Amino acid sequence: MQITKELPNDIERISQIHYAAFKGHPMHKPGAEPVEHLIVERLRASNALSLSLLVEVNQEAVGHIAFSPATVGECALGWYLLGPIGVMPEHQGKGVGSALMHEALLQMRNMDALGIVLVGDPEFYKRFGFKNMPNLSWKGVPDQFVQALSFTEVHPEGEIIAHDAFNASDS
């Protein structure tokens, strides 16, 4: 398994990963097309990808993770939103996502991030240190799915505001 920063020739492969990883995902309405690949494309086009890592196994692109700046309450600098993270269906459950998370969090710490926020499955993300924080929210999302990992003594408070790319739709 090799984890590297995104290169220009990886763009189509990254879109394919997210499309396949989220096709038919339970969080989408039945029959809806995934939008996660569009989010990454829009973040990239807006120069808002702070970190974009690709996982390859035997030179096959199998996983990707993206981070972009986020405003958390009154704090507009230092916080990053994790997402999306995707792994090709045939490689899920084999440690690809976990390896990608560990490497990405290490790199974000090295970028002097204050911390990471996300919306996701609490059972998956708690093993990486993420937890629900009091007074942290994302409009329209149940609190148990809004999570953070602080790299400092400062705990995030307030509403998470993501880049406009997260308003992507399949239309």
Side-chain angles (χ1 to χ4, degrees):
M1 185 179 321
Q2 182 178 6
I3 301 174
T4 58
K5 288 186 178 176
E6 167 186 308
L7 296 172
N9 63 335
D10 296 326
I11 292 172
E12 181 60 33
R13 299 187 313 157
I14 289 169
S15 289
Q16 290 170 358
I17 289 167
H18 288 294
Y19 188 86
F22 289 96
K23 180 78 174 164
H25 194 280
M27 71 180 197
H28 292 295
K29 294 178 184 174
E33 288 293 307
V35 296
E36 288 74 11
H37 64 294
L38 300 175
I39 293 169
V40 176
E41 290 169 8
R42 291 176 184 175
L43 286 170
R44 187 182 297 111
S46 298
N47 201 28
L49 274 175
S50 301
L51 182 63
S52 179
L53 296 178
L54 178 71
V55 178
E56 293 180 302
V57 174
N58 299 323
Q59 299 179 330
E60 175 190 357
V62 301
H64 177 261
I65 192 169
F67 290 86
S68 56
T71 298
V72 178
E74 299 296 317
C75 191
L77 296 174
W79 286 95
Y80 295 86
L81 178 66
L82 184 162
I85 178 173
V87 175
M88 294 296 273
E90 61 273 19
H91 289 273
Q92 292 175 4
K94 297 180 181 178
V96 172
S98 292
L100 188 54
M101 282 291 298
H102 286 296
E103 178 61 24
L105 293 176
L106 176 66
Q107 289 196 32
M108 291 305 296
R109 282 180 192 272
N110 291 337
M111 291 170 57
D112 292 328
L114 294 176
I116 309 298
V117 292
L118 62 82
V119 171
D121 176 8
E123 287 302 309
F124 177 78
Y125 290 104
K126 75 179 180 183
R127 70 180 113 166
F128 305 104
F130 285 88
K131 59 184 176 181
N132 180 266
M133 302 272 182
N135 304 316
L136 182 64
S137 64
W138 186 304
K139 188 176 181 178
V141 176
D143 286 346
Q144 71 264 27
F145 299 110
V146 180
Q147 300 167 65
L149 172 63
S150 181
F151 297 147
T152 69
E153 298 300 316
V154 177
H155 294 291
E157 289 186 358
E159 184 176 355
I160 298 169
I161 306 294
H163 188 277
D164 283 341
F166 285 86
N167 296 320
S169 68
D170 58 0
S171 56

